[in-house]
Amino acid sequence: MTEGLQEALEGFRRHLRAERDVSPHTLRAYEGDLRDLCRYAVDVGVEGPAGLDVNVLRAWLAQQHAEGRSRATLARRTAAVRTFTAYLHRRGLIEKDPGQLLGTPKRHRDLPNVLGQDEAARLLDQMDVEGPLGLRDLAVLEVLYGTGVRVSELCGLDVDDIDVERGTARVLGKGNKERTVPVGEPATRAVGDWLRAGRPAIATEHSGPALFLGARGGRLHPTSARRIVHARIAEVGEVPDVSPHGLRHSAATHLLEGGADLRSVQEILGHASLQTTQIYTHVSPERLRQVHRQAHPRGAE
């Protein structure tokens, strides 16, 4: 990679960390995407940022498509390029921003597996909750399903974020946006049991305020939370294997089936756009038939 491109990448990385406050995951993804772009650019004779014109960008993306990259990957790489060229333009390193001329591939969203309401009840009612870790695991699954929070949001919860009396949780979501979500009685009861009889047995002087702890007393990591969900589902049996994201989607689906409106589900899930909620959630045919019978003039005779 040329010195000019290397310096541009380093400056962009500092910009993302200091000014955009992006997550470590996004930072790694963008950096990997743009290093790949710069290697391609050097191969076709580009020596510095000024050579990153729209033809080079489109040719690189076309190569990615030819190599079989998914639509989700192409969409992310296009977003990375557009953010990078916008930064270069603001810094005066390129005269025009070629990223504005790039289209954004439409992402294909695969809906995760979801549990039926009876399957969710079977999972949570039949779990082995013996010992501190059993109490923790039940609380983890109850909160994931009962609130619809993301697994990263769950692991970021502190003890004081759960208001057992009010039945609410204070959640820090994407972009450091805080929201308050309702927590049902089973989840608050499970959290209360964990705090009373489970967490004190695992906590150490280094546990800090974290609500959920790993076996060694540190804050529970999302990877560990995912393992807990899969393991507990396997133990119960006769329940489809889903991830924490599947529990989140199950919660949203069951809210809609119970009559919740999309705006309310949007607020609970922490989506910035209602369009995201519409894609993310789906309404069962039975729910659609019920709404039709109740609301349409010719829905029922």
Side-chain angles (χ1 to χ4, degrees), residues 180-245:
T180 299
V181 300
V183 183
E185 184 177 343
T188 56
R189 184 169 58 247
V191 169
D193 291 342
W194 155 246
L195 290 175
R196 184 180 62 258
R199 190 180 186 280
I202 299 176
T204 70
E205 59 181 358
H206 303 296
S207 296
L211 174 60
F212 292 114
L213 306 177
R216 297 183 180 180
R219 183 182 292 275
L220 185 67
H221 191 274
T223 301
S224 299
R226 293 186 184 94
R227 283 199 296 264
I228 289 169
V229 171
H230 290 299
R232 289 300 185 171
I233 290 176
E235 288 177 6
V236 170
E238 298 183 1
V239 175
D241 185 30
V242 298
S243 65
H245 185 59

Side-chain angles (χ1 to χ4, degrees), residues 234-270:
E235 288 177 6
V236 170
E238 298 183 1
V239 175
D241 185 30
V242 298
S243 65
H245 185 59
L247 289 178
R248 171 174 163 85
H249 188 57
S250 299
T253 301
H254 298 165
L255 281 168
L256 287 171
E257 289 177 346
D261 62 273
L262 276 173
R263 288 288 183 186
S264 298
V265 175
Q266 176 191 2
E267 291 296 325
I268 291 172
L269 296 180

Side-chain angles (χ1 to χ4, degrees), residues 31-95:
E31 187 173 16
D33 293 342
L34 294 173
R35 285 192 178 281
D36 190 277
L37 166 64
C38 288
R39 284 192 292 268
Y40 173 85
V42 170
D43 288 342
V44 297
V46 173
E47 297 184 358
L52 294 174
D53 59 27
V54 69
N55 293 324
V56 171
L57 302 182
R58 285 174 173 166
W60 175 68
L61 290 170
Q63 182 187 70
Q64 302 295 302
H65 183 269
E67 291 175 354
R69 304 291 187 222
S70 69
R71 279 183 286 182
T73 297
L74 290 172
R76 189 199 68 218
R77 294 195 165 189
T78 302
V81 169
R82 294 175 72 172
T83 306
F84 183 47
T85 58
Y87 161 82
L88 295 176
H89 180 59
R90 288 195 304 271
R91 293 295 188 275
L93 297 175
I94 55 177
E95 184 177 350

Side-chain angles (χ1 to χ4, degrees), residues 92-292:
L93 297 175
I94 55 177
E95 184 177 350
K96 296 181 179 180
D97 180 5
Q100 294 182 347
L101 302 176
L102 297 176
T104 301
K106 292 184 178 180
R107 296 181 60 176
H108 176 70
R109 294 175 180 261
D110 292 321
L111 294 176
N113 293 330
V114 298
L115 301 180
Q117 295 185 34
D118 58 333
E119 292 169 334
R122 186 183 310 127
L123 170 63
L124 297 170
D125 292 342
Q126 296 183 10
M127 275 182 57
D128 178 8
V129 295
E130 183 178 352
L133 293 182
L135 293 174
R136 179 203 63 186
D137 293 356
L138 177 61
V140 164
L141 268 72
E142 284 281 13
V143 172
L144 283 171
Y145 173 65
T147 64
V149 296
R150 302 175 178 92
V151 66
S152 59
E153 296 170 343
L154 172 104
C155 294
L157 290 173
D158 290 338
V159 173
D160 292 340
D161 289 332
I162 301 287
D163 189 329
V164 175
E165 292 185 1
R166 293 187 176 183
T168 60
R170 183 173 63 245
V171 178
L172 190 63
K174 289 185 175 181
N176 288 326
K177 293 181 179 179
E178 186 178 292
R179 70 185 189 279
T180 299
V181 300
V183 183
E185 184 177 343
T188 56
R189 184 169 58 247
V191 169
D193 291 342
W194 155 246
L195 290 175
R196 184 180 62 258
R199 190 180 186 280
I202 299 176
T204 70
E205 59 181 358
H206 303 296
S207 296
L211 174 60
F212 292 114
L213 306 177
R216 297 183 180 180
R219 183 182 292 275
L220 185 67
H221 191 274
T223 301
S224 299
R226 293 186 184 94
R227 283 199 296 264
I228 289 169
V229 171
H230 290 299
R232 289 300 185 171
I233 290 176
E235 288 177 6
V236 170
E238 298 183 1
V239 175
D241 185 30
V242 298
S243 65
H245 185 59
L247 289 178
R248 171 174 163 85
H249 188 57
S250 299
T253 301
H254 298 165
L255 281 168
L256 287 171
E257 289 177 346
D261 62 273
L262 276 173
R263 288 288 183 186
S264 298
V265 175
Q266 176 191 2
E267 291 296 325
I268 291 172
L269 296 180
H271 286 155
S273 168
L274 184 61
Q275 183 179 11
T276 305
T277 311
Q278 290 172 323
I279 295 173
Y280 182 79
T281 58
H282 64 276
V283 184
S284 69
E286 176 56 36
R287 174 60 186 161
L288 292 175
R289 286 192 292 269
Q290 179 184 350
V291 170
H292 186 269

